[in-house]
Amino acid sequence: MAHFFEPTQPVYVLVRLDTKDSKGEYEWLFLCYVPDHAKIRDKMLYASTRASLTKELGDSRFVDSIYGTTQDEMSFDGYNKHIAHKKADAPLTQRERELAEIKLAEAKAASDYQGTTTRKTMAPGISFPLTDKAQQALSELKKSKDERAHNFVSLYLEKETIELDKAALVPAGQVSSTLASTAPRFTFYIFEHHGNESPVFIYTCPSSSKIRERMLYSSSKANVINGAETQLDLKVVKKLETSDTSDITEEYLQEEVAATTAVPTQGIVGQRVQMLSGQRQGEFRRPVAPGRRRPVATTTSPAPAAQE
């Protein structure tokens, strides 16, 4: 059909295919050729009349349409490339690719536990295994103060495993400065208060973190805690979550960990840090919405006695 397409002249070409529709009528292909070197007036004319032409002829007759500006696009090879392009998957955005990776990771994690004869207690979300180094560091936290080598263990995600980031002896007043401030982390810390020792889980996720990091860490935090408790018998008494490491001060730890029956914090830090509290175990409490106050207990005064 090369003789139909000239370098400067637009043209409509209707091609009857050998295939037929359900009514037994032949199917058609609509070609619209508008070369780059055509006159502007011709380009505008063909652009404005293309839809009207197919509508008058009957849109249902055309199984496909091709718009091209070069003779190569109107060739048989060009038509095959057009078909291949239509069948190809749509390009994904960065966010869509990250979501696809997360779904694959979820499917892989689920398949790892199918067909086993041992019943496992699994938390919702994505489950990544703890490496040997991570397990050894967490096991050290179960020892007494005089025997353990560290009281602070920081973990991070790397290639679908939970890796050891840092293990150190950290005073309560230096926890906030020891926490990673530029990347998400899972941290287990032994907080000492009034002669007692309480394992605390701290999930930190800076606001500058990538979307993929936020979703992976958020989806896997429950299983990290579950792994520490079920595999290593390290029972967490408090779970904290924040996007700003400066929130985790010694005073805040003292307030939230020591006073296990205390009323939820009313201050700014208490609104920024999400912690586990009384109503349903195992969940992170969400911060209070801006401009709202927490409900407080009220007492009802008895109604005054009726006067005779």
Side-chain angles (χ1 to χ4, degrees), residues 21 25-29 56-64:
D21 59 18
E25 297 181 355
Y26 283 105
E27 296 177 323
W28 291 78
L29 181 65
E56 289 295 328
L57 295 175
D59 290 329
S60 60
R61 296 178 183 273
F62 300 98
V63 294
D64 201 357

Side-chain angles (χ1 to χ4, degrees), residues 4 18 30 40 74 94 110 120-121 155 160 185 210 249 269 277 282:
F4 287 111
D18 293 333
F30 182 81
I40 296 178
M74 297 292 107
Q94 178 66 23
K120 296 181 180 288
T121 302
L155 308 174
E160 300 184 3
R185 288 293 184 269
K210 297 178 181 179
T249 62
V269 173
S277 64

Side-chain angles (χ1 to χ4, degrees), residues 220-283:
S220 58
K221 65 187 177 186
N223 277 299
V224 171
I225 299 172
N226 185 65
E229 293 184 339
T230 58
Q231 298 177 34
L232 307 174
D233 196 31
L234 179 62
K235 303 299 181 182
V236 174
V237 300
K238 200 70 178 180
K239 305 170 189 177
L240 308 177
E241 178 177 344
T242 183
S243 60
D244 188 348
T245 57
S246 64
D247 290 339
I248 310 300
T249 62
E250 182 176 3
E251 293 76 13
Y252 186 77
L253 289 170
Q254 178 69 30
E255 180 181 0
E256 295 301 325
V257 178
T260 56
T261 59
V263 177
T265 307
Q266 301 286 339
I268 296 176
V269 173
Q271 294 180 5
R272 293 173 64 185
V273 180
Q274 304 169 23
M275 76 295 292
L276 178 69
S277 64
Q279 294 183 354
R280 188 180 297 178
Q281 258 187 340
E283 292 186 355

Side-chain angles (χ1 to χ4, degrees), residues 1-7 9-15 31 33 71 74:
M1 297 190 300
H3 62 280
F4 287 111
F5 309 109
E6 299 179 3
Q9 180 59 49
V11 64
Y12 293 134
V13 177
L14 310 182
V15 181
L31 307 180
Y33 171 70
Q71 293 179 351
M74 297 292 107

Side-chain angles (χ1 to χ4, degrees), residues 77-91:
D77 289 341
Y79 177 66
N80 287 334
K81 291 179 181 179
H82 169 75
I83 296 298
H85 177 73
K86 288 183 62 176
K87 292 181 178 179
D89 294 334

Side-chain angles (χ1 to χ4, degrees), residues 37-255:
H37 298 292
K39 296 178 181 179
I40 296 178
R41 181 178 181 278
D42 290 341
K43 290 182 179 180
M44 295 178 62
L45 179 63
Y46 274 77
S48 61
T49 58
R50 182 175 55 181
S52 299
L53 177 61
T54 55
K55 183 177 180 180
E56 289 295 328
L57 295 175
D59 290 329
S60 60
R61 296 178 183 273
F62 300 98
V63 294
D64 201 357
S65 61
I66 300 178
Y67 176 85
T69 59
T70 65
Q71 293 179 351
D72 290 340
E73 292 175 314
M74 297 292 107
S75 65
F76 184 68
D77 289 341
Y79 177 66
N80 287 334
K81 291 179 181 179
H82 169 75
I83 296 298
H85 177 73
K86 288 183 62 176
K87 292 181 178 179
D89 294 334
L92 300 177
T93 63
Q94 178 66 23
R95 180 180 177 83
E96 290 171 334
R97 285 194 295 270
E98 291 171 352
L99 290 174
E101 291 176 7
I102 291 172
K103 289 181 179 180
L104 287 175
E106 289 178 337
K108 182 179 183 302
S111 64
D112 289 342
Y113 291 93
Q114 291 179 353
T116 58
T117 56
T118 304
R119 183 179 179 87
K120 296 181 180 288
T121 302
M122 296 298 297
I126 304 175
S127 178
F128 295 123
L130 292 163
T131 62
D132 292 340
K133 288 184 177 180
Q135 293 187 43
Q136 291 172 6
L138 290 175
S139 296
E140 194 76 12
L141 299 180
K142 296 190 299 180
K143 298 180 180 180
S144 64
K145 179 180 179 181
D146 296 333
E147 295 179 346
R148 62 173 174 258
H150 52 259
N151 64 350
F152 178 102
V153 175
S154 178
L155 308 174
Y156 70 100
L157 277 170
E158 179 68 23
K159 296 180 179 179
E160 300 184 3
T161 57
I162 307 297
E163 302 280 352
L164 174 63
D165 175 46
K166 183 187 301 182
L169 278 171
V170 180
Q174 298 179 14
V175 171
S176 61
S177 60
T178 308
L179 292 168
S181 60
T182 58
R185 288 293 184 269
F186 300 130
T187 301
F188 291 81
Y189 180 68
I190 303 300
F191 180 65
E192 301 176 25
H193 56 100
H194 305 301
N196 298 319
E197 296 183 345
S198 300
V200 179
F201 176 80
I202 307 171
Y203 165 48
T204 53
C205 185
S207 56
S208 59
S209 303
K210 297 178 181 179
I211 295 176
R212 182 174 184 272
E213 288 180 330
R214 295 183 192 182
M215 298 185 69
L216 284 176
Y217 275 81
S218 178
S219 300
S220 58
K221 65 187 177 186
N223 277 299
V224 171
I225 299 172
N226 185 65
E229 293 184 339
T230 58
Q231 298 177 34
L232 307 174
D233 196 31
L234 179 62
K235 303 299 181 182
V236 174
V237 300
K238 200 70 178 180
K239 305 170 189 177
L240 308 177
E241 178 177 344
T242 183
S243 60
D244 188 348
T245 57
S246 64
D247 290 339
I248 310 300
T249 62
E250 182 176 3
E251 293 76 13
Y252 186 77
L253 289 170
Q254 178 69 30
E255 180 181 0

